[in-house]
Every structure is written in structure tokens, then in C-alpha cells.
Amino acid sequence: MATAPVGDDVYGEDPTVNKLQALAAEMVGKEAGLFVPSGTMGNLAAIMAHARQGEQAIVGYDTHAISWEAGGMSALGGVVPRTLPTDEQGRMSIAGIEGAISGDDVHLPPSRLILLENSYGEKSGYPIAPDYFAAVREVADRYNLRVHMDGARLFNAAVAQNIAATAITQHVDSVTFCLSKGLCAPVGSVLCGSASFIRRAHRVRKLLGGGMRQAGALAAAGLVALEEMVERLADDHANAQKLASGLAEIPGIRVDPEATRTNIVFFELEDDVPFTVEEFSSRLRQEANIWVGGYSSRRLRAVTHYWVNADHVNLFLQTARAILS
Ligand SMILES: *Cc1c(COP(=O)(O)O)cnc(C)c1O
């Protein structure tokens, strides 16, 4: 990062940013890429480049852009979300999508966009298979809609299925993925799509204040993320599976190891456990420097990554067992 060649990226003159954008686009099979400070900004820039104020986006009710992005699509984009239920993998039904598409009726916000996510965060990071996206694409094409994928953990979804990321992204017009998260860069995401789409998104990024100057120092870490961190995501998945199966054997914890297919483990404290989620997670932190997120009154989330190895998983299991015994 310290020795990366840099330039002014607002003028498109940062060679390291340009290299990152080109590599990212190639890895997802799109014409162009745009380096953005966060996944949230990548999704918002995509939504605003695809849809105008008053137009409708069809989305899963528990997708990240609905739950965790401060309502940006409506607050800043004026885009009207039409939320649909999702199944245990995070899929809206194809019939549901088709039924939600507004026809030529002046009462309704015109449908413009379908928003997808893979892997699906709220469903333990489920890696959805490409045939679902092919089916969504078919509906989108029939109604002339655009398709954006929040692929914050796209490479987890690809590695877990032992397929190329392009097997998934070939079915969408645009995709964002995070260089942080499992790929281990300190900051940044990339939005990819056609050259003309990325030109529109570039203007939105500027509008949102996301034009960065000598950003090559950050992009350099992004290049390491893409070149060296993708294949090893399989280790995170194996560690998450080890954690989920181990937790399943501890009295007081409820978990479905089958649901963990990538690097996210949701688990619950049984009702008779005399701890709140906050008490349990703060004891894990104090006793073994294990950091887990409290998700709801009985639910916690653990995520494995580059800095978590199999010994750490064992420590987690021992500590959790001791706290609950
Ligand atoms: C992390 C994440 C994002 C981006 O969130 P930021 O906080 O902006 O980095 C988007 N979608 C999903 C599914 C994510 O997990």
C-alpha cells in the first residue's frame, strides 16, 4: 500500500485504482469497474444509475439494502422498494417477482429494477446457485427490467459451489462486491457492469461524495484481496462448519449446522440459559478475545475470516461450553 503508484482518481489518473477496476471487471465478466468506499455506496450508485425517482425496485424484504443501508435507495435515490418474502436460501419466488411487476397503470410506480444478493447474509450467507439467477434474468428480459446483484460476499458464494464467479454474474447487469469482509482488505468495494452503466454510476459516486483522490493506496490492498484471498475462502467455510457442528453439541445452544454453507454461523441461546445475548458475548470477549455480534434477543452471529483459524474455533467451543456449564 505504501509503495503503490498513485494519481488523482477523480481525473481517472490513479494507475493502481485503474488496475484494480480492470481486474475486478474481468473477474466478474463485465466491461468496467468502479472502486467505491463501501458496499453501501456501491449498491446505492448502482440503484441510482439503473432507476430514477419514482421507479420501483423489486427486492427481498431482508436483503442488506433494505435492512442495513439506512434506506438510501428511498432517502437519496427516490426509488420505491417493493419487498417480497424470501425462502430459506434468500430467494424471492419467480412467480412472486413476476406478480410484483407493475404494468402500464398510472397508479403504480413503474418497475425498473430487480435487486438480488449472493451469498445471502440474513440466511447464514447462503450461496445461491446460478440457475436461480438465470430464471430471474429470463423474467427481467421479458419485462425489460435491469438486474443488480449485491455480491458483498460473491466470492464466498462462488468458492462454496466450486464455480467461477462469472457463472453467477453472467445473469446480472451489475454487481458490487466487498474487498473487505472475507477478502481481507481494510476498506473498499467494486461495482462492475457495462461501460455505459459504469459511466452513469461514476457520476452518482461523485454526487454522493465518493470521488477519492490518491486512492491507489487503498486499491493496492484490493489487488491483494483479489489475487491472493479468493481461493482461501474455502478455509473460512471449513472453519465455520467446524464451529457450527461444535456449537450444536453444546447444551444451551441451538444451531442448524446444515444452514452454514459459507462463513456465517447464526446460533441461539436456549430460553433456559440464564444469560442475555449481550452478557454471553461480553464474556466470550473478556475470557478469550472472541468477538461475536448479538443479533436479536436470543440470536448471535459469528463470522470466520482470514484471522480465524481452527485453533481459534476450538478455543471458541471450549470457552462457550465453560460459560454455559
Ligand atoms: C457488508 C455488506 C454490504 C456492504 O456494507 P458496508 O457496510 O457498506 O461495507 C452490502 N451487502 C451485504 C450483503 C453485506 O454483507
Side-chain angles (χ1 to χ4, degrees):
M1 292 172 75
T3 59
V6 296
D8 190 334
D9 183 53
V10 167
Y11 294 98
E13 290 171 355
D14 188 299
T16 311
V17 170
N18 290 340
K19 190 174 167 191
L20 172 69
Q21 291 175 161
L23 176 63
E26 186 193 319
M27 287 173 74
V28 298
K30 302 296 174 202
E31 281 174 1
L34 185 70
F35 185 44
V36 287
S38 67
T40 298
M41 189 184 286
N43 285 334
L44 182 57
I47 291 166
M48 291 174 71
H50 281 308
R52 293 163 186 271
Q53 288 188 335
E55 293 184 330
Q56 182 200 61
I58 297 170
V59 298
Y61 82 103
D62 56 353
T63 200
H64 196 274
I66 290 293
S67 304
W68 302 108
E69 298 182 13
M73 81 172 81
S74 306
L76 301 176
V79 171
V80 184
R82 172 72 191 273
T83 55
L84 298 182
T86 54
D87 69 8
E88 71 292 344
Q89 298 184 14
R91 299 174 301 189
M92 300 175 274
S93 80
I94 300 297
I97 292 174
E98 193 164 0
I101 296 169
S102 49
D104 185 20
D105 179 335
V106 294
H107 296 86
L108 305 175
S111 301
R112 179 65 56 213
L113 178 65
I114 301 172
L115 208 74
L116 304 169
E117 181 179 325
N118 201 19
S119 67
Y120 207 89
E122 293 291 318
K123 303 290 158 60
S124 299
Y126 199 96
I128 303 171
D131 58 351
Y132 172 67
F133 303 109
V136 174
R137 175 83 265 168
E138 194 274 318
V139 175
D141 284 346
R142 244 181 313 122
Y143 292 90
N144 197 23
L145 304 185
R146 318 241 168 85
V147 182
H148 172 71
M149 176 177 286
D150 174 356
R153 296 188 186 83
L154 170 68
F155 292 101
N156 293 89
V159 167
Q161 300 178 76
N162 210 5
I163 56 177
T166 50
I168 298 166
T169 56
Q170 64 173 320
H171 302 297
V172 302
D173 297 300
S174 59
V175 57
T176 358
F177 63 84
C178 294
L179 299 162
S180 53
K181 309 264 167 95
L183 296 186
C184 214
V187 64
S189 289
V190 190
L191 169 63
C192 298
S194 71
S196 63
F197 165 79
I198 290 296
R199 267 198 301 281
R200 295 198 304 278
H202 197 158
R203 182 182 290 275
V204 179
R205 186 185 71 175
K206 187 69 191 160
L207 171 74
L208 298 174
M212 298 181 285
R213 300 286 177 179
Q214 283 69 236
L218 297 173
L223 284 167
V224 176
L226 290 183
E227 286 166 353
E228 296 176 28
M229 297 292 165
V230 172
E231 294 304 317
R232 61 152 306 283
L233 292 173
D235 299 344
D236 296 344
H237 301 169
N239 285 330
Q241 189 48 237
K242 183 176 156 69
L243 179 62
S245 333
L247 286 172
E249 285 166 20
I250 298 178
I253 289 181
R254 206 166 35 227
V255 61
D256 174 16
E258 268 292 291
T260 291
R261 306 288 173 114
T262 58
N263 66 330
I264 299 176
V265 181
F266 280 109
F267 61 99
E268 288 175 28
L269 299 181
E270 302 271 16
D271 291 339
D272 58 0
V273 167
F275 296 119
T276 65
V277 154
E278 289 75 21
E279 285 161 352
F280 184 70
S281 66
S282 79
R283 286 205 43 194
L284 282 173
R285 196 178 292 198
Q286 278 159 18
E287 290 172 30
N289 196 27
I290 293 162
W291 295 46
V292 297
Y295 224 72
S296 63
S297 66
R298 295 315 267 167
R299 203 161 182 233
L300 296 110
R301 188 182 76 153
V303 181
T304 55
H305 52 77
Y306 182 82
W307 303 102
V308 173
N309 62 33
D311 290 342
H312 296 128
V313 172
N314 287 331
L315 176 67
F316 189 139
L317 295 171
Q318 280 161 23
T319 311
R321 192 181 279 278
I323 292 169
L324 293 171
S325 68

